[in-house]
Amino acid sequence: MPDTSAFSATTRPYFATVARGLETIAAQELTELGAEQVKPEFAGVAFIGDRALLYRINLWSRLIYRVLMPMATVKAFNAQDLYRSIKKIDWDEYFSPEQTLQINCTGKNPQLNHSHFTALQVKNAIVDQQRDRHQRRSSVDLEQPDIVINAHIHQNHCQLSLDSTGFSLHRRGYRPALGNAPLKETLASALLAMAGWTPEQPLYDPLCGSGTFLLEAGLQSLNIAPGKFQPGFCFQQWPDFDQDLWHSLLQAAKTGERDTLQAPLWGSDGDREVIQAAKSNAQQCQLAGKIHWQQLNFADIEPPAAEGMLICNPPYGKRIGQEEALGDFYQQIGDVLKQRFKGWTAFVFSGNKALTKRIGLRTSARFPVNNGGLPCTLLKYELY
């Protein structure tokens, strides 16, 4: 954990968690949001900032999962050692016995190698201290806790952090209707960033599913903060929560929203129910009537403009569909792009090299990406 003594009372270290492989691009986003001393690490990004930055990142980040605020690093040679170390911390500084609690544990060592058992030791130490002091204790809530504590075991130490976010930021809250194997919203935004898409560019997803690519693009184009759809953040339950500061950030975000897209967005899919789900999702995030949706089989698609960017996430035989049956479809993707989309730039996201070879087009760039533990690639095709 960074040495907090070197920081003023108004700035402190934080750690943003992110999907593996997206650390660098997330670091760029955090820098743009005002973070300082930004350092990509494994599955996350360390940085420093003030309280306003913490709130702003939770409100505006399109790429990260959550923001942790490191509290302390304690000894954790075994369960008894961890319990004693945790109980010495003054937990009254962070929350009251009336607030609900959740402990998330990651990492392990030879003596603490089961995350549920480790989390139980942390919880027991905290509530035992509360019971000793106040004759009452926090209840555990695994659904909507007021306070979330992250305990990370590394070698013989445990790093404790307060989770400022609560619900993972990839769950925007606007997408109750899902298609098969939907992309996480954070990954969709990351792929758009890797593709170099900007809101001034027309965008078409001919395999749109529940619409994640286009919804994320639409939010960017209208300058809508993705965090506004969250039901609430854990930092709002902290003793030092600044209601006026948070309100001012929300008002500034609302003032900065646009009414119209900067360029057209189109989505099509062969499944009528999926298109209805995409429309429903758009309704949830201020995009109703702004994206052009159409039920259309891939074989029948035509370019909706003379030029633009096409991006799609076809099935690749890992979660849905059978790999053998998909080979002809991938060949069809290549044929349609080559024959009809001259002047466009296309991106295909897939986790199956054998299938992508069937596309039959020369790639101009390849971006490796981890998708839920699956090694995938974003393939770029310049269509002339």
Side-chain angles (χ1 to χ4, degrees), residues 75-274:
K75 294 178 181 178
F77 289 90
N78 52 46
Q80 296 74 23
D81 201 35
L82 177 64
Y83 176 91
R84 287 192 297 267
S85 300
I86 298 289
K87 201 173 180 184
K88 290 178 182 177
I89 296 171
D90 185 2
W91 291 102
D92 287 347
E93 291 185 16
Y94 301 102
F95 57 95
S96 71
E98 285 71 35
Q99 292 177 292
T100 56
L101 186 65
Q102 179 179 325
I103 311 295
N104 293 328
C105 183
T106 58
K108 61 183 179 179
N109 65 23
Q111 297 299 317
L112 294 164
N113 55 16
H114 192 288
S115 59
H116 179 73
F117 174 76
T118 302
L120 192 62
Q121 302 309 304
V122 175
K123 185 269 295 182
N124 287 343
I126 293 171
V127 300
D128 285 353
Q129 182 194 93
Q130 289 179 323
R131 194 182 288 111
D132 292 344
R133 289 185 177 184
H134 308 289
Q135 290 74 56
R136 59 190 189 280
R137 48 152 285 186
S138 294
S139 298
V140 172
D141 186 343
L142 301 181
E143 298 297 324
Q144 289 184 298
D146 297 321
I147 302 296
V148 178
I149 295 171
N150 181 273
H152 180 67
I153 304 295
H154 180 63
Q155 296 179 352
N156 294 322
H157 290 87
C158 175
Q159 179 175 293
L160 296 162
S161 303
L162 280 177
D163 183 344
S164 72
T165 306
F167 288 101
S168 173
L169 290 176
H170 87 268
R171 294 167 58 188
R172 303 281 198 247
Y174 65 67
R175 200 174 66 165
L178 300 178
N180 289 326
L183 282 179
K184 283 187 171 68
E185 294 89 329
T186 44
L187 178 56
S189 270
L191 293 172
L192 287 171
M194 290 177 184
W197 179 81
T198 62
E200 299 80 23
Q201 250 181 316
L203 183 70
Y204 178 33
D205 181 353
L207 299 168
C208 67
S210 57
T212 313
F213 277 130
L214 298 168
L215 297 175
E216 289 299 304
L219 292 178
Q220 287 188 51
S221 186
L222 296 183
N223 198 39
I224 295 174
K228 74 175 290 183
F229 303 107
Q230 291 282 357
F233 295 95
C234 280
F235 66 73
Q236 293 174 270
Q237 304 297 326
W238 293 359
D240 66 351
F241 174 58
D242 189 332
Q243 177 67 52
D244 291 338
L245 173 59
W246 178 236
H247 181 72
S248 69
L249 290 171
L250 288 175
Q251 284 299 112
K254 186 176 181 180
T255 301
E257 292 178 1
R258 299 185 180 94
D259 293 325
T260 57
L261 297 175
Q262 299 171 64
L265 302 175
W266 301 277
S268 62
D269 198 282
D271 189 327
R272 180 183 297 275
E273 291 185 4
V274 163

Side-chain angles (χ1 to χ4, degrees), residues 307-358:
E307 59 183 15
M309 180 182 291
L310 180 150
I311 191 166
C312 63
N313 174 35
Y316 38 89
K318 300 295 183 181
R319 292 194 178 98
I320 57 176
Q322 296 298 319
E323 182 175 338
E324 297 80 6
L326 291 171
D328 290 344
F329 179 60
Y330 272 72
Q331 183 175 334
Q332 183 183 76
I333 290 175
D335 292 343
V336 168
L337 294 180
K338 180 179 180 180
Q339 294 167 12
R340 305 177 196 170
F341 281 81
K342 289 182 173 61
W344 283 64
T345 302
F347 288 86
V348 176
F349 182 62
S350 179
N352 191 312
K353 282 187 177 181
L355 288 176
T356 56
K357 286 181 180 178
R358 294 288 300 273

Side-chain angles (χ1 to χ4, degrees), residues 254-299:
K254 186 176 181 180
T255 301
E257 292 178 1
R258 299 185 180 94
D259 293 325
T260 57
L261 297 175
Q262 299 171 64
L265 302 175
W266 301 277
S268 62
D269 198 282
D271 189 327
R272 180 183 297 275
E273 291 185 4
V274 163
I275 289 294
Q276 289 303 317
K279 289 181 178 180
S280 174
N281 292 337
Q283 181 87 33
Q284 297 292 324
C285 59
Q286 300 177 219
L287 290 168
K290 298 185 183 299
I291 300 173
H292 306 279
W293 306 103
Q294 186 178 13
Q295 182 192 357
L296 198 64
N297 291 325
F298 191 89

